[in-house]
């Protein structure tokens, strides 16, 4: 047993209150049963003097409109007792997770907080001895950081007095307690032959395992229709475009042929998604199939870096306040399966409780990883996931990782996968846009400088520049050492150092890149008519002013000189690699360095040189001509009036061309699937044209195989689509009144979607009091101190909540049942007519292209309503609906009604008793 000092101030007995909020009022329940009902101002006063048990302290502080509260956050205690365990971060969510009766009032919520506290503390004594010892050491470290729960936790862990306390550094050294990964090369087999019978049998076994019933006919049709992608191919891969309506059972549908082929071939199938929500859904579904080996792969920036964590532990010696965060993370690290900080088994609310910047500073950042030279290399979560993926049946990734890896030369060069499934395929074009585009900005140039030169100022840390990376490999080659020094010197003079953003904002640029960015920002502010707004700005490169052209010319000249030296270093390293007769560590590290210099450094230098050269010679080209393959423009990224970055953007007008060129290097079969691949028009051939273009199918020599399986749902019976055209979106009071009346008519379970953040905030402010009065909780993206994924979890678990959001919520929500029964759009989600959109509009069909995008967004929103056979839902659009967009609601009669009629229809339809 660990001994604690009960004379410590943090070990004095404190009797806090439990706090539950409802709008502007709150209830306090003391440990002795004393009850107080207080308004917001009284609660603010009390929060400065009294300790309170709360759920989600940051959210409570935001609702009270204060910087912070003296809080015993029950979520922190939950994270300590049950690390890596999901819970909805509300009092109701805690009650559900611990099988307590759901609270029906504020008094119930306060009582639940006390019950949850007692239950969690009681679990500490149930820990095994080794875990109890580790938890005690961590609690002592967190006590030194001022953790309010430390006293209760240590007492329930059985700590006694007067024994010497352990070093906080030793307690937090969790890396010593983690297992090492093993390097076991996979035994790849030959691609298996797969038949429709195999797929049907596999699907039947899966469905029987999960639900003990026969597969649905539509699901069987879908699963067997994907076979073409698993046949052996030569030259171009076989692409299958598969549209599966909601309710078909798409996930199991493609897992059936994937798992059969991968297990027979001993090769993984990569499944890529666009949203974190679907990635988690596929993972949960696949893990329920016990025979399926599943691994989740994400980009390096998602994972906690153990060396960064060790650095933070060492730095905590002089910053005791960080010990609470480090202690909670250490508990999580002892239990996590993958070390994923963004959407893995670290609860999303942990980011909000302890601070996003603190957590994300511990991820693997560009220019930091030292790979096999790291003392934690054999325990690294990133390296573990790479090796686990080679032995998996199914690898669940995301579009960004897959396409960025493809753009950089391929996925897992040592053991490349050959079969890919892109779920949420309607987002593939956008993902390719990011992967095959380029930005010259303060962020991108400073990141490249860090990689070549090393860190500066506060960001110096352990970032190793090119010389420190390459010196061990070229220690006996003076030419190589001189080249690396020269490259670092050139980059140091050319690219921006820490603090560039502040200097640009103050008009005090230093160095050539900062001067270039400053002149770009001046041109943007001068040319964008919305420069007085708080949003991001942009302009074309037409008619650049003289100072910008002059600095651009000098910048291009210096980029060329740097590029020449980088190329020379690559040639020298390649010569060294060619001299090795066999594989060894130095050869592997040289090859890795060559790949990075080529795909990251040289690729950026080439792109930036071309972009700035075009700026110097804008009279030669015009961004308005539709026959150019790319478009380049200037921009200033801002948020609420604050400048975040200055950029020169370049985007390929059709990014699916380089995407397919890259994927074709290793893929033999590709499936692109979604519920909204086709455009609902009368001509079937025309319906597939957008999918053929935006999937990249038009760039392959082999025709794409097309598959369309309709939804089994009866949308005309299960849904209502209402258009209320009397509301003007600029009349915020009337718009808010419409949302309020519709949400009340539905009795909650309502999702309000907006095309502008400011309208969302204003509507939230106006309708919250009335909804609270009627017992409905209201949550909002960009208002609540929570990310969209946490808000969706809360919305889904509540059953009668209301949620306001933008397209991030629309694309990420999957809420079956009555928890989502009403969707309200403030207006038609037309694409924003920015420079890039205007250029694409000219080559992709003009007005028809824009209409199709709006139609697809409406289809995606409408598709959220019905997820199961017994779901019912109402879709309301608060603006006129052009007839050419009505086909976004297939099989449903669109009704044009007044607001009062819409409320009456909503109430009657959603509360209709079929019996």
């Amino acid at each position: 047993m660990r001994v604690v000092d009960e004379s410590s101030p943090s070990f004095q007995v404190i009797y806090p209150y439990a706090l539950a909020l409802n709008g502007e009022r709150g209830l306090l329940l003391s440990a002795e049963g004393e009850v107080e009902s207080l308004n917001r101002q009284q609660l603010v006063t009390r929060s400065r003097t009294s300790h309170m048990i709360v759920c989600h302290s940051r959210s409570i502080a935001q609702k009270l409109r204060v910087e912070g509260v003296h809080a015993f956050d029950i979520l922190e205690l939950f994270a300590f007792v049950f690390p890596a365990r999901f819970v909805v971060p509300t009092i109701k969510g805690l009650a559900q997770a611990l099988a307590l009766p759901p609270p029906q009032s504020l008094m119930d919520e306060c009582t639940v907080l006390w019950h949850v506290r007692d239950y969690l503390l009681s679990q500490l004594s149930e820990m095994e001895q080794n875990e109890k010892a580790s938890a005690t050491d961590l609690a002592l470290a967190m006590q030194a950081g001022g953790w309010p729960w430390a006293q209760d936790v240590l007492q329930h862990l059985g700590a006694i007095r007067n024994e010497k306390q352990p070093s906080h550094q030793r307690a937090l050294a969790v890396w010593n307690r983690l297992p090492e990964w093993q390097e076991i090369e996979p035994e790849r087999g030959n691609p298996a032959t797969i038949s429709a019978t195999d797929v049907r049998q596999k699907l039947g076994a899966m469905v029987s395992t999960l639900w003990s019933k026969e597969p649905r006919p539509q699901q069987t049709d879908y699963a067997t229709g994907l076979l073409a992608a698993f046949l052996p191919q030569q030259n171009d891969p076989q692409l299958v475009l598969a549209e599966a309506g909601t309710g078909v059972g798409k996930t199991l549908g493609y897992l059936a042929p994937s798992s059969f082929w991968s297990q027979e071939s001993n090769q993984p199938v990569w499944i890529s998604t666009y949203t974190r929500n679907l990635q988690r859904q596929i993972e949960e579904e696949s893990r329920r199939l016990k025979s399926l080996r599943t691994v989740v792969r994400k980009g390096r920036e998602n994972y906690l870096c153990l060396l960064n964590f060790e650095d933070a532990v060492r730095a905590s010696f002089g910053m005791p306040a960080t010990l609470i965060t480090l202690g909670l993370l250490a508990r999580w690290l002892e239990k996590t399966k993958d070390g994923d900080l963004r959407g893995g088994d670290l609860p999303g609310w942990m980011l909000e409780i302890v601070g996003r910047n603190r957590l994300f500073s511990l991820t693997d950042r560009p220019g930091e990883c030292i790979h096999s030279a790291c003392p934690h290399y054999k325990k690294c979560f990133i390296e573990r996931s790479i090796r686990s993926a080679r032995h998996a049946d199914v690898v669940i990734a995301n579009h960004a990782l897959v396409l960025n890896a493809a753009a950089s030369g391929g996925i897992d060069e040592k053991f490349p996968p050959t079969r890919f499934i892109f779920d949420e395929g309607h987002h593939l074009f956008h993902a390719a846009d990011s992967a095959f585009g380029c930005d010259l900005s303060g962020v991108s140039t400073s990141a490249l400088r860090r990689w070549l030169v090393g860190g500066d100022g506060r960001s110096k840390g352990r970032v190793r520049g090119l010389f420190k990376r390459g010196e061990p490999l070229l220690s006996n080659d003076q030419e190589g050492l001189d080249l690396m020094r020269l490259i670092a010197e050139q980059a140091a003079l050319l690219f921006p150092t820490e603090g560039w953003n502040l200097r640009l904002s103050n008009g005090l640029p230093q160095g050539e890149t900062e001067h270039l960015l400053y002149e770009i920002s001046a041109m943007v502010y001068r040319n964008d008519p919305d420069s007085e707004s708080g949003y991001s700005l942009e302009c074309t490169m037409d008619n650049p002013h003289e100072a910008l052209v002059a600095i651009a010319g000098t910048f291009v000249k210096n980029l060329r000189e740097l590029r020449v030296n980088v190329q020379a270093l690559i040639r020298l390293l390649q010569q060294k690699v060619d001299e090795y007769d066999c594989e060894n560590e130095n050869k592997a590290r040289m090859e890795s360095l060559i790949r990075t210099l080529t795909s990251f450094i040289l690729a950026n230098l080439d792109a930036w040189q071309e972009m700035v050269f075009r700026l110097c010679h804008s009279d030669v080209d015009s961004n308005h001509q539709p026959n150019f393959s790319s478009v380049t423009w200037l921009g200033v990224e801002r948020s609420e009036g604050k400048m975040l970055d200055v950029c020169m953007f370049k985007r390929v007008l059709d990014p699916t061309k380089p995407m397919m060129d890259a994927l074709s290097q290793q893929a033999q079969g590709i499936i692109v699937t979604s519920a909204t691949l086709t455009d609902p028009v009368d001509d079937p051939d025309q319906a597939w044209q957008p999918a053929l273009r935006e999937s990249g199918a038009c760039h392959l020599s082999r025709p794409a195989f097309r598959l369309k399986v309709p939804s089994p749902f009866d949308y005309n019976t299960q849904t209502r689509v209402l258009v209320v055209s009397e509301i003007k979106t600029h009349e915020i009071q009337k718009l808010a009144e419409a949302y309020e009346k519709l949400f009340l008519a539905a009795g909650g379970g309502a999702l309000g979607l907006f095309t502008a953040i400011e309208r969302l905030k204003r509507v939230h402010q106006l309708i919250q009091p009335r909804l609270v009065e009627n017992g409905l909780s209201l949550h909002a993206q960009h208002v609540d101190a929570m990310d969209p994924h946490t808000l969706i979890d809360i919305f889904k678990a509540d059953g009668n909540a209301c949620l306001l959001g933008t397209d991030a919520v629309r694309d990420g929500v999957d809420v079956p049942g009555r928890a989502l029964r009403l969707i309200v759009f403030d207006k038609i989600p037309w694409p924003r007519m920015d420079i890039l959109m205007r250029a694409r509009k000219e080559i992709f069909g003009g007005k028809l292209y824009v209409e199709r995008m709006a139609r697809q967004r409406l289809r995606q929103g409408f598709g959220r309503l019905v997820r199961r056979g017994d779901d019912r839902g109402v879709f309301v659009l608060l603006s006129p609906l052009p007839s050419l967009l009505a086909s976004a609601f297939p099989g449903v009669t669109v009704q044009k009604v007044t607001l009062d009629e819409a409320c009456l229809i909503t109430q009657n339809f959603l509360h209709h008793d079929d019996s």
Side-chain angles (χ1 to χ4, degrees):
M1 294 184 182
R2 187 67 58 207
V3 177
V4 296
D5 181 7
E6 290 185 352
S7 66
S8 167
S10 57
F11 259 74
Q12 295 174 1
V13 176
I14 300 173
Y15 297 102
Y17 297 87
L19 169 65
L21 279 180
N22 185 16
E24 292 286 302
R25 298 201 64 83
L27 199 72
L28 290 176
L29 175 65
S30 73
E32 294 85 5
E34 178 187 351
V35 180
E36 296 180 69
S37 178
L38 305 176
N39 62 32
R40 188 192 68 82
Q41 190 53 53
Q42 291 170 324
L43 286 169
V44 169
T45 302
R46 182 64 65 86
S47 72
R48 299 188 181 114
T49 58
S50 301
H51 289 80
M52 307 182 213
I53 298 178
V54 302
C55 181
H56 205 302
S57 56
R58 187 162 174 247
S59 177
I60 294 292
Q62 183 192 49
K63 290 175 181 177
L64 294 179
R65 301 197 285 279
V66 296
E67 288 296 317
V69 293
H70 295 321
F72 287 67
D73 196 327
I74 199 73
L75 292 176
E76 290 184 10
L77 183 60
F78 188 96
F80 188 89
V81 178
F82 295 127
R85 177 170 164 180
F86 173 79
V87 66
V88 175
T90 62
I91 297 175
K92 184 181 290 187
L94 286 163
Q96 184 178 27
L98 302 182
L100 296 170
Q104 303 297 324
S105 65
L106 285 182
M107 185 66 177
D108 288 348
E109 290 189 11
C110 289
T111 304
V112 165
L113 282 175
W114 284 111
H115 284 324
V116 172
R117 167 194 176 273
D118 293 343
Y119 177 81
L120 292 175
L121 291 173
S122 71
Q123 294 303 296
L124 295 170
S125 60
E126 303 296 322
M127 288 181 177
E128 294 182 359
Q129 200 57 41
N130 288 342
E131 183 179 5
K132 186 179 289 188
S134 169
T136 302
D137 289 348
L138 288 173
L140 285 167
M142 295 167 71
Q143 179 194 17
W147 192 37
W149 289 111
Q151 173 183 348
D152 280 341
V153 167
L154 288 166
Q155 288 176 343
H156 283 79
L157 283 169
I160 58 176
R161 300 186 346 179
N162 295 329
E163 182 184 325
K164 184 178 180 181
Q165 294 185 6
S167 159
H168 303 328
Q169 306 273 329
R170 181 171 67 81
L172 292 165
V174 66
W175 51 85
N176 292 328
R177 305 190 285 275
L178 297 179
E180 294 187 351
W181 50 260
Q182 301 297 317
E183 185 74 82
I184 303 174
E185 292 200 354
E187 297 180 4
R188 291 289 174 85
N190 295 321
T193 301
I194 181 170
S195 69
T197 301
D198 298 325
V199 173
R200 281 192 289 268
Q201 290 176 348
K202 187 70 172 180
L203 179 61
M206 285 180 163
V207 173
S208 176
T209 299
L210 296 181
W211 293 293
S212 300
K213 64 179 183 181
E214 289 299 313
R216 288 159 278 183
Q218 295 94 339
Q219 191 177 51
T220 303
D221 293 342
Y222 175 78
T224 55
L226 303 178
L227 277 175
F230 295 96
L231 300 176
Q233 306 292 339
Q234 293 180 347
N235 302 321
D236 273 358
Q238 176 62 63
L239 176 64
V240 175
L241 296 175
E243 179 172 287
T246 305
V248 167
K250 183 156 45 75
T251 302
L252 270 191
Y254 57 61
L255 280 176
S258 299
S259 58
F260 183 90
W261 183 88
S262 63
Q263 290 170 350
E264 291 295 315
S265 308
N266 206 15
Q267 297 184 36
V269 173
W270 278 55
I271 299 173
S272 178
T273 75
Y274 185 73
T275 61
R276 184 194 304 175
N277 181 68
L278 181 58
Q279 190 174 53
R280 185 166 59 187
Q281 179 183 321
I282 298 171
E283 181 186 10
E284 291 172 355
E285 195 109 315
S286 60
R287 290 192 187 283
R288 290 165 65 193
L289 301 165
K290 304 298 184 182
S291 62
L292 195 61
R293 297 172 298 176
T294 305
V295 171
V296 176
R297 279 290 315 274
K298 294 185 178 181
R300 303 181 70 91
E301 70 282 356
N302 289 278
Y303 297 95
L304 181 137
C305 168
L306 290 172
L307 196 51
N308 276 342
F309 186 76
E310 182 181 359
D311 288 346
V313 169
R314 296 186 190 281
S316 69
F317 183 78
M319 296 184 294
T322 63
L323 292 172
I324 299 173
T325 296
L326 294 173
L328 291 175
L329 280 176
R331 283 286 292 154
W332 171 71
L333 283 168
E334 291 177 334
K335 298 291 186 179
T336 180
K337 66 179 184 296
D338 55 15
D340 179 6
L341 286 172
R342 305 177 192 242
D345 52 21
L346 182 77
W349 43 262
M350 276 281 285
L351 305 179
E352 299 137 15
I353 294 296
V354 306
R356 289 175 175 275
N357 291 339
R358 286 185 186 177
L359 284 190
F360 290 158
S361 69
L362 301 176
T363 61
D364 182 39
R365 292 171 288 183
E368 285 192 344
C369 186
I370 53 179
H371 302 283
S372 58
C374 176
H376 306 306
Y377 181 69
K378 293 292 289 183
K379 298 180 179 183
C380 174
F381 292 112
I382 301 167
E383 299 297 331
R384 185 189 306 277
S385 72
I386 291 172
R387 284 153 183 80
S388 297
R390 293 170 179 169
H391 296 270
D393 298 323
V394 169
V395 178
I396 305 170
N398 55 65
H399 294 354
L401 171 66
V402 174
L403 297 187
N404 281 319
S408 300
I411 300 167
D412 195 347
E413 196 173 81
K414 197 171 183 181
F415 298 98
T418 62
R419 298 304 190 281
F420 297 88
I421 298 173
F422 291 97
D423 202 342
E424 297 180 305
H426 57 283
H427 285 301
L428 195 56
F429 187 96
H430 178 72
D433 205 20
S434 299
F436 295 93
C438 184
D439 299 344
L440 190 164
S441 66
V443 170
S444 62
T445 53
S446 60
L448 190 139
R449 184 191 194 278
R450 278 166 57 87
W451 200 95
L452 291 175
V453 181
D456 298 288
R458 289 174 301 172
S459 68
K460 185 173 183 179
R462 57 174 180 80
V463 180
R464 307 200 317 166
L466 174 63
F467 188 84
K468 287 187 177 180
R469 294 171 185 276
E471 184 182 22
L473 305 175
L474 298 172
S475 57
N476 298 320
D477 191 305
Q478 192 60 45
E479 180 186 359
L481 295 175
D482 290 343
L483 264 177
M484 290 189 295
R485 287 193 185 94
L486 180 57
I487 289 169
E489 290 170 2
Q490 289 176 311
L493 291 172
L494 181 59
F495 299 127
T497 61
E498 186 179 272
W500 59 267
N501 191 300
L502 184 61
R503 289 192 294 274
L504 289 181
S505 297
N506 293 333
L508 299 170
Q510 296 177 4
E512 287 180 11
T513 301
E514 289 186 31
H515 276 91
L516 175 69
L517 296 175
Y518 179 74
E519 294 299 339
I520 287 174
S521 68
M523 181 171 171
V524 174
Y525 279 110
R526 187 164 56 245
N527 287 279
D528 194 312
D530 295 325
S531 59
E532 296 302 318
S533 73
Y535 298 107
S536 296
L537 308 173
E538 63 175 19
C539 73
T540 67
M541 298 197 304
D542 297 338
N543 304 315
H545 55 277
E546 190 174 321
L548 177 54
V549 173
I551 189 64
T554 305
F555 184 79
V556 167
K557 175 178 175 293
N558 288 318
L559 275 184
R560 285 173 178 163
E561 293 175 358
L562 177 59
R563 183 183 184 282
V564 167
N565 291 321
V566 171
Q567 281 187 310
L569 179 60
I570 291 173
R571 286 195 298 269
L572 189 147
L573 287 167
Q574 190 60 56
Q575 289 173 4
K576 295 288 184 184
V577 168
D578 294 340
E579 292 172 4
Y580 286 99
D581 295 327
C582 59
E583 292 290 331
N584 62 39
E585 185 177 333
N586 274 352
K587 181 178 181 180
R589 290 175 66 183
M590 281 188 182
E591 289 174 334
S592 176
L593 185 57
I594 290 170
R595 282 195 298 271
T596 304
L597 286 170
T598 303
S599 63
F600 176 51
I601 306 298
L602 203 58
N604 273 312
L605 294 180
D606 285 345
W608 293 346
Q609 180 177 310
E610 188 272 333
M611 292 162 67
V612 181
F613 179 83
R614 180 176 291 189
L615 178 63
C616 299
H617 301 82
S618 60
D619 56 321
V620 177
D621 294 338
S622 169
N623 288 322
H624 303 303
Q625 295 182 18
N627 56 333
F628 284 120
S629 61
S630 65
V631 61
T632 309
W633 73 99
L634 312 178
V636 176
E637 298 293 295
R638 300 195 300 180
S639 176
E640 298 182 351
K642 181 181 178 181
M643 188 184 76
L644 305 177
D645 203 356
V646 179
C647 311
M648 179 181 289
F649 300 99
K650 178 184 177 181
R651 294 293 181 269
V652 182
L653 287 179
D654 183 2
T656 65
K657 176 64 168 69
M659 177 188 77
M660 275 303 167
D661 288 345
L663 287 175
S664 296
Q665 299 302 310
Q666 66 180 85
Q668 291 187 24
I670 301 172
I671 296 169
V672 177
T673 186
S674 168
T676 56
L677 279 185
T678 62
D679 190 21
V681 293
D682 294 334
D683 187 341
D685 288 331
Q686 288 300 315
W688 280 102
Q689 290 308 307
L692 292 169
R693 182 178 63 238
E694 296 184 11
S695 67
C698 57
H699 302 301
L700 296 175
S701 60
R702 180 180 288 111
F705 183 86
R706 307 177 199 178
L707 171 68
K708 186 172 183 178
V709 182
S711 171
F713 300 145
D714 183 353
Y715 285 105
N716 202 41
T717 301
Q718 294 178 252
T719 67
R720 294 291 181 267
V721 176
L722 311 177
V723 175
V724 179
S725 56
E726 66 195 67
I727 310 296
K728 309 299 181 185
T729 54
H730 65 276
E731 297 176 345
I732 297 297
Q733 193 72 42
K734 292 184 178 179
L735 184 66
E737 182 182 347
Y739 273 97
E740 178 185 301
K741 287 183 174 181
L742 287 165
F743 284 8
L744 290 174
L751 175 62
L753 294 171
F754 291 79
T755 55
I757 296 172
E758 283 306 313
R759 275 202 302 276
L760 181 155
K761 290 180 177 179
R762 292 284 306 280
V763 167
H764 174 272
Q765 182 181 20
L766 291 170
I767 71 175
Q768 186 183 38
R770 180 101 165 94
L771 293 184
V772 169
E773 285 176 14
N774 285 269
L776 299 180
S777 58
L778 177 65
H779 311 282
Q781 183 190 7
H782 302 293
V783 175
D784 291 320
M786 302 177 185
D787 72 8
H789 304 285
T790 303
L791 290 173
I792 291 169
D793 287 336
I794 293 172
F795 176 74
K796 186 175 182 178
D798 187 292
N800 292 307
C802 300
L803 174 62
L804 306 181
T806 59
D807 53 358
V809 171
R810 180 194 70 219
D811 293 334
V813 67
D814 181 30
V815 183
R818 284 185 55 79
L820 175 55
R821 50 190 180 267
L822 170 68
I823 293 178
V824 183
F825 269 63
D826 69 332
K827 60 188 299 186
I828 294 172
W830 296 107
R832 180 171 174 259
M833 276 297 124
D834 55 20
I835 291 172
L836 179 59
M837 186 63 200
R838 287 196 296 269
R840 286 188 171 142
K841 178 184 173 183
E842 290 188 42
I843 67 169
F844 287 150
K847 184 181 178 182
L848 295 177
Y849 175 65
V850 176
E851 291 168 357
R852 193 197 65 76
M853 292 185 69
R855 211 160 27 237
Q856 186 187 67
R857 292 175 182 181
L858 288 172
R859 286 184 72 193
Q860 280 292 317
F862 176 68
R864 305 295 100 188
L865 271 181
V866 178
R867 314 300 288 177
R868 300 187 313 206
D870 57 350
D871 284 354
R872 299 166 69 89
V874 176
F875 182 98
V876 180
L877 177 64
L878 297 176
S879 70
L881 178 71
S883 58
L884 49 88
L885 299 184
S887 60
F889 312 102
V892 182
T893 301
V894 177
Q895 303 177 59
K896 296 181 180 180
V897 296
T898 66
L899 177 59
D900 289 340
E901 289 171 337
C903 292
L904 184 61
I905 292 170
T906 298
Q907 185 173 13
N908 291 339
F909 182 71
L910 294 180
H911 301 287
H912 172 67
D913 187 352
D914 290 326
S915 63

